[in-house]
mmCIF file of all heavy atoms in Angstrom:
data_model
loop_
_atom_site.group_PDB
_atom_site.id
_atom_site.type_symbol
_atom_site.label_atom_id
_atom_site.label_comp_id
_atom_site.label_asym_id
_atom_site.label_seq_id
_atom_site.Cartn_x
_atom_site.Cartn_y
_atom_site.Cartn_z
ATOM 1 N N ARG A 191 -11.654 15.120 -4.594
ATOM 2 C CA ARG A 191 -10.556 16.031 -4.916
ATOM 3 C C ARG A 191 -10.214 16.013 -6.400
ATOM 4 O O ARG A 191 -9.507 16.893 -6.886
ATOM 5 C CB ARG A 191 -9.308 15.648 -4.112
ATOM 6 C CG ARG A 191 -9.459 15.766 -2.609
ATOM 7 C CD ARG A 191 -9.510 17.208 -2.157
ATOM 8 N NE ARG A 191 -9.434 17.325 -0.705
ATOM 9 C CZ ARG A 191 -9.461 18.482 -0.051
ATOM 10 N NH1 ARG A 191 -9.561 19.627 -0.734
ATOM 11 N NH2 ARG A 191 -9.389 18.521 1.266
ATOM 12 N N TYR A 254 0.469 19.056 4.870
ATOM 13 C CA TYR A 254 -0.754 19.382 4.134
ATOM 14 C C TYR A 254 -1.164 18.233 3.219
ATOM 15 O O TYR A 254 -2.340 17.832 3.181
ATOM 16 C CB TYR A 254 -0.532 20.660 3.326
ATOM 17 C CG TYR A 254 -1.592 20.923 2.296
ATOM 18 C CD1 TYR A 254 -2.882 21.298 2.655
ATOM 19 C CD2 TYR A 254 -1.296 20.788 0.936
ATOM 20 C CE1 TYR A 254 -3.860 21.538 1.694
ATOM 21 C CE2 TYR A 254 -2.262 21.029 -0.027
ATOM 22 C CZ TYR A 254 -3.541 21.397 0.353
ATOM 23 O OH TYR A 254 -4.502 21.622 -0.603
ATOM 24 N N ARG A 258 -4.525 14.600 2.663
ATOM 25 C CA ARG A 258 -5.182 13.847 1.595
ATOM 26 C C ARG A 258 -5.134 12.341 1.902
ATOM 27 O O ARG A 258 -6.078 11.602 1.604
ATOM 28 C CB ARG A 258 -4.483 14.104 0.260
ATOM 29 C CG ARG A 258 -4.570 15.518 -0.255
ATOM 30 C CD ARG A 258 -5.981 15.846 -0.757
ATOM 31 N NE ARG A 258 -5.957 16.929 -1.700
ATOM 32 C CZ ARG A 258 -6.026 18.222 -1.387
ATOM 33 N NH1 ARG A 258 -6.112 18.580 -0.114
ATOM 34 N NH2 ARG A 258 -6.009 19.151 -2.328
ATOM 35 N N TRP A 293 -4.597 20.680 7.302
ATOM 36 C CA TRP A 293 -5.495 21.084 6.231
ATOM 37 C C TRP A 293 -5.438 22.597 6.094
ATOM 38 O O TRP A 293 -5.205 23.315 7.075
ATOM 39 C CB TRP A 293 -6.930 20.639 6.518
ATOM 40 C CG TRP A 293 -7.184 19.195 6.281
ATOM 41 C CD1 TRP A 293 -7.779 18.623 5.184
ATOM 42 C CD2 TRP A 293 -6.855 18.103 7.152
ATOM 43 N NE1 TRP A 293 -7.823 17.258 5.310
ATOM 44 C CE2 TRP A 293 -7.267 16.901 6.514
ATOM 45 C CE3 TRP A 293 -6.245 18.008 8.398
ATOM 46 C CZ2 TRP A 293 -7.093 15.652 7.086
ATOM 47 C CZ3 TRP A 293 -6.070 16.770 8.970
ATOM 48 C CH2 TRP A 293 -6.494 15.607 8.328
ATOM 49 N N ALA A 294 -5.625 23.089 4.876
ATOM 50 C CA ALA A 294 -5.641 24.527 4.634
ATOM 51 C C ALA A 294 -6.826 24.848 3.734
ATOM 52 O O ALA A 294 -7.173 24.066 2.837
ATOM 53 C CB ALA A 294 -4.334 24.984 3.984
ATOM 54 N N TYR A 295 -7.443 25.970 3.977
ATOM 55 C CA TYR A 295 -8.611 26.369 3.193
ATOM 56 C C TYR A 295 -8.178 26.986 1.874
ATOM 57 O O TYR A 295 -7.467 27.978 1.827
ATOM 58 C CB TYR A 295 -9.452 27.369 3.995
ATOM 59 C CG TYR A 295 -10.727 27.784 3.293
ATOM 60 C CD1 TYR A 295 -11.747 26.863 3.074
ATOM 61 C CD2 TYR A 295 -10.899 29.090 2.842
ATOM 62 C CE1 TYR A 295 -12.918 27.235 2.433
ATOM 63 C CE2 TYR A 295 -12.063 29.477 2.206
ATOM 64 C CZ TYR A 295 -13.074 28.538 1.995
ATOM 65 O OH TYR A 295 -14.228 28.913 1.361
ATOM 66 N N ARG A 296 -8.558 26.344 0.777
ATOM 67 C CA ARG A 296 -8.353 26.839 -0.586
ATOM 68 C C ARG A 296 -6.875 27.103 -0.890
ATOM 69 O O ARG A 296 -6.526 28.092 -1.531
ATOM 70 C CB ARG A 296 -9.182 28.097 -0.839
ATOM 71 C CG ARG A 296 -10.684 27.885 -0.723
ATOM 72 C CD ARG A 296 -11.466 29.097 -1.182
ATOM 73 N NE ARG A 296 -11.282 29.319 -2.619
ATOM 74 C CZ ARG A 296 -11.838 30.338 -3.284
ATOM 75 N NH1 ARG A 296 -12.594 31.217 -2.652
ATOM 76 N NH2 ARG A 296 -11.617 30.462 -4.581
ATOM 77 N N TYR A 297 -6.042 26.200 -0.445
ATOM 78 C CA TYR A 297 -4.616 26.333 -0.765
ATOM 79 C C TYR A 297 -4.396 26.091 -2.255
ATOM 80 O O TYR A 297 -4.899 25.117 -2.819
ATOM 81 C CB TYR A 297 -3.795 25.323 0.047
ATOM 82 C CG TYR A 297 -2.366 25.193 -0.416
ATOM 83 C CD1 TYR A 297 -1.415 26.134 -0.053
ATOM 84 C CD2 TYR A 297 -1.973 24.127 -1.229
ATOM 85 C CE1 TYR A 297 -0.091 26.025 -0.478
ATOM 86 C CE2 TYR A 297 -0.652 24.008 -1.660
ATOM 87 C CZ TYR A 297 0.277 24.964 -1.281
ATOM 88 O OH TYR A 297 1.575 24.841 -1.718
ATOM 89 N N GLU A 298 -3.642 26.960 -2.885
ATOM 90 C CA GLU A 298 -3.304 26.813 -4.308
ATOM 91 C C GLU A 298 -1.812 27.047 -4.483
ATOM 92 O O GLU A 298 -1.320 28.158 -4.245
ATOM 93 C CB GLU A 298 -4.084 27.828 -5.162
ATOM 94 C CG GLU A 298 -5.588 27.614 -5.189
ATOM 95 C CD GLU A 298 -5.998 26.389 -5.976
ATOM 96 O OE1 GLU A 298 -5.165 25.893 -6.763
ATOM 97 O OE2 GLU A 298 -7.140 25.937 -5.802
ATOM 98 N N PRO A 299 -1.050 26.022 -4.876
ATOM 99 C CA PRO A 299 0.384 26.240 -5.094
ATOM 100 C C PRO A 299 0.624 27.144 -6.293
ATOM 101 O O PRO A 299 -0.153 27.162 -7.250
ATOM 102 C CB PRO A 299 0.910 24.829 -5.348
ATOM 103 C CG PRO A 299 -0.266 24.069 -5.852
ATOM 104 C CD PRO A 299 -1.468 24.643 -5.159
#
Side-chain angles (χ1 to χ4, degrees):
R191 297 288 189 180
Y254 167 70
R258 295 288 203 272
W293 283 260
Y295 183 66
R296 298 189 66 181
Y297 168 79
E298 294 289 343

